[in-house]
Amino acid sequence: MRIDILTLFPEMFVNVLGHSILKIASEKALVQYNLFNIREYAENKRCVDDRPYGGGPGMVMKPEPVFNTVAAVEQQTNVRPKKILLTPQGHRFSQSLARELSKEPYLMLISGHYEGFDERIRTGMDVFELSIGDYVLSGGEIPAMIVIDAVVRLIPGVLGDPDSITNESFNNGLLEYPQYTRPAEYKGMKVPEVLISGNHQKIKEWHNACALERTLRKRPDILNRV
Ligand code: ADE
């Protein structure tokens, strides 16, 4: 998968993409990250935002630097990217959206900053608007990192053990069951007997029951969707 990131702050991504699973994925050549600084493509590099027409607080990201960057990047390859605009007004990001996006060959993430985007960036380009939740951040950079992390770990081959995806929270619509590791007893707190029993059928039943109980208690809203 090719992932292009269009941003005014490419340096913010360097650390996140250079560690852990995201780094391993690019080392295995399962993903290629490309950072583009929107400012570099602006006619006036010192002016990428401006005051809103009609008045109002804050600054609005100008259309021209974003359109220019997208056009320059699209010239690099014949493959059409799925363009994603990070904005609090977008579709709510979820595990199932992450799964869908992980099947795309080419994602282009456009992160805005300041008060918002000039509306023509939304309407004049074929973009999929994506929000990571109902709160407003100071820019789309952190949301883009979150989307990249959730998507890349689902690309086949990125995680060493594919079962870690099948068993985790949200995959089957439930939260994950409780996990334990050694020691069997810590500060008087014991690992449930059944997990040490070696009875795989019983362990599976226990996992299912715990996942269900936990979801009912902590997130009844997602249980309704299963
Ligand atoms: N930019 C600012 N807030 C955001 C959010 N919640 N999701 C995506 N992009 C954003």
Side-chain angles (χ1 to χ4, degrees), residues 194-210:
V194 59
L195 296 180
I196 307 165
S197 68
N199 183 334
H200 294 292
Q201 181 57 31
K202 279 254 159 355
I203 293 174
K204 207 166 159 207
E205 283 167 16
W206 186 87
H207 282 163
N208 289 341
C210 286

Side-chain angles (χ1 to χ4, degrees), residues 85-90 110 112 114 117 130-144 147:
L85 190 68
L86 283 314
T87 154
Q89 301 182 9
I110 307 169
Y114 312 117
F117 292 105
L130 201 55
S131 162
I132 59 155
D134 291 344
Y135 40 82
V136 179
L137 300 169
S138 48
E141 285 76 20
I142 293 171
V147 171

